[in-house]
Amino acid sequence: MKTNLIVMGKTLYLIALFCMPVVFAQAQDNPGNDKDLSREDLEYIIERDMPKVLGENNVELLTQMLQPNRGNSLYETFDGNKAVNYLFKGKDVVYGKECDKELYPQGQCDVVSGSSNGEEEYSKFSFNNNLSLADIRFSDRPAFGPAKKVEISNQEAFYAAKKFLIDIFGISEEEIPTAPSNASNPYPVKTVNMAYSDGAGSSGFLPVEKLVSFPRGLFVKGGLGWIPGPGRLKVTIDDQGINTASVSGWADLSGYGLNLDPRDAKSRRALVSELATRLQDEGINSLNSTRGVLAIALPVGAKSPIPVLRVYAAALERDLDEKSQGNNASSAGVVLDIPLLVSIDESKSIGDGE
């Protein structure tokens, strides 16, 4: 069953990500953008762009990060039966062999309606929900037919997605971030366009979907505001309503911070040194820009989320033309999560961020 949406306008906006408060600025006048940097130059760029909120003593900062506002666990709020009844109302469904027909909040299950082969409508709902991590996905493929224009605003798309995620998937409203009141683009929405041509020289683009996508948000008091949490939400909306929705990498926060001591906070100097080493290990010896946010993440192998500095590092300028890119060894960038506490097992923290 697709959600009904009231059309209030046709204004299209550029995609806007929720503003996360602590970021690195882009490095300017980097020493040696076109060649490998010395360790000293690499640390100079990192240090210069390190956010001012990170100092040599970060105990107070970590105390705040270990006590974010959080909603109820998805393990408690997700209701598989409620979701199936809503999503497949009036349809014949087939449950996967792994499903418990009671569809308790925990466990794994695939529920489908229709056939994936052919041109008829096909819907699939899947969830894998346990005490530590949850993934929930829904897709509704319409019967074969011409694409139709989606005629809703970004604001309508965001609030429709938000209501769906709360009411049907059990996401806590406290963990859906809101943009600042003065944000120029307050909704994390972009328009998906389809190119078309009639074969006689007439062509154009048709807006067919709205994509709402944003990370889980955790509000931290003390001036930090919203920071990314372990999990991501994504919803697409066509002319009939919501046709896909997903909750990915949604880590349980009920035990977050219980065995972590803010007195173990790393210093600014230690973070600069560790980040330089990690970049060198990733093969990034020339650096154009670094950008980072404070975040809460669930590293591979960890049992509970941890506070991190999530760093986006690029070797080349963002707007470099193709010819200039071809003159460089690599244009790849990396995303690294640097634990903010020395007590955390570093072997469990290596890898890309959410």
Side-chain angles (χ1 to χ4, degrees):
M1 175 180 179
K2 294 188 175 180
T3 56
N4 294 321
L5 301 174
I6 301 173
V7 177
M8 297 179 62
K10 301 181 181 180
T11 304
L12 303 181
Y13 298 88
L14 295 176
I15 183 172
L17 295 177
F18 284 130
C19 178
M20 297 300 180
V22 185
V23 299
F24 289 129
Q26 179 170 325
Q28 301 293 331
D29 301 322
N30 288 341
N33 276 343
D34 58 347
K35 62 182 180 181
D36 286 354
L37 300 177
S38 67
R39 173 75 181 213
E40 182 180 4
D41 284 342
L42 190 64
E43 291 193 2
Y44 169 81
I45 295 172
I46 296 170
E47 164 62 33
R48 182 186 60 191
D49 298 326
M50 185 77 76
K52 290 182 173 57
V53 70
L54 288 168
E56 290 307 305
N57 186 335
N58 294 307
V59 174
E60 183 178 352
L61 175 67
L62 266 296
T63 298
Q64 296 166 351
M65 287 190 68
L66 291 174
Q67 301 178 60
N69 292 347
R70 54 188 123 173
N72 294 325
S73 171
L74 197 60
Y75 185 78
E76 301 171 347
T77 59
F78 173 71
D79 187 333
N81 286 301
K82 177 181 178 180
V84 168
N85 290 336
Y86 178 87
L87 299 171
F88 297 96
K89 187 175 182 180
K91 298 179 181 179
D92 293 328
V93 300
V94 176
Y95 291 86
K97 294 181 179 179
E98 75 283 5
C99 297
D100 183 316
K101 294 301 177 62
E102 293 298 323
L103 295 188
Y104 295 108
Q106 68 277 15
Q108 179 176 343
C109 185
D110 292 336
V111 184
V112 300
S113 175
S115 173
S116 59
N117 299 318
E119 299 181 350
E120 300 303 315
E121 182 179 8
Y122 173 71
S123 301
K124 183 176 182 179
F125 174 59
S126 303
F127 69 87
N128 187 350
N129 192 20
N130 56 54
L131 282 172
S132 60
L133 198 65
D135 287 279
I136 307 172
R137 301 180 186 276
F138 169 71
S139 62
D140 185 15
R141 186 194 71 190
F144 180 78
K148 296 182 180 180
K149 184 177 182 179
V150 58
E151 299 191 55
I152 60 172
S153 69
N154 284 10
Q155 181 184 45
E156 292 173 288
F158 173 71
Y159 282 108
K162 179 178 178 179
K163 179 175 174 55
F164 178 91
L165 292 167
I166 293 171
D167 293 349
I168 308 305
F169 282 179
I171 299 298
S172 293
E173 185 171 6
E174 294 90 337
E175 297 182 1
I176 296 180
T178 56
S181 58
N182 61 348
S184 58
N185 294 303
Y187 304 110
V189 182
K190 70 177 179 180
T191 301
V192 179
N193 293 300
M194 182 184 71
Y196 67 85
S197 174
D198 62 3
S202 177
S203 61
F205 293 91
L206 181 70
V208 294
E209 283 185 337
K210 291 286 187 176
L211 169 62
V212 185
S213 179
F214 53 93
R216 182 183 191 173
L218 296 170
F219 192 84
V220 180
K221 298 178 181 179
L224 291 180
W226 292 99
I227 66 173
R232 190 165 191 88
L233 301 166
K234 186 179 295 185
V235 175
T236 60
I237 303 172
D238 62 15
D239 68 300
Q240 295 297 306
I242 291 174
N243 60 357
T244 70
S246 67
V247 178
S248 57
W250 202 265
D252 182 69
L253 289 173
S254 59
Y256 170 67
L258 292 181
N259 298 314
L260 302 179
D261 190 337
R263 293 173 295 182
D264 290 331
K266 293 177 183 176
S267 68
R268 183 185 185 92
R269 178 67 248 168
L271 289 167
V272 170
S273 178
E274 182 176 351
L275 179 54
T277 298
R278 291 282 299 277
L279 290 174
Q280 289 180 326
D281 289 345
E282 293 289 339
I284 295 185
N285 295 308
S286 61
L287 189 63
N288 174 263
S289 64
T290 54
R291 183 176 63 87
V293 296
L294 299 181
I296 295 172
L298 181 67
V300 175
K303 294 182 180 180
S304 183
I306 62 173
V308 300
L309 175 64
R310 179 164 297 158
V311 179
Y312 306 80
L316 302 181
E317 297 177 22
R318 180 180 298 180
D319 300 323
L320 210 61
D321 58 57
E322 291 187 14
K323 182 179 179 180
S324 298
Q325 291 183 42
N327 294 328
N328 290 271
S330 173
S331 61
V334 295
V335 182
L336 301 172
D337 281 346
I338 308 296
L340 289 170
L341 296 169
V342 296
S343 58
I344 296 169
D345 183 356
E346 300 295 331
S347 68
K348 295 181 180 179
S349 64
I350 298 176
D352 290 350
E354 290 285 346

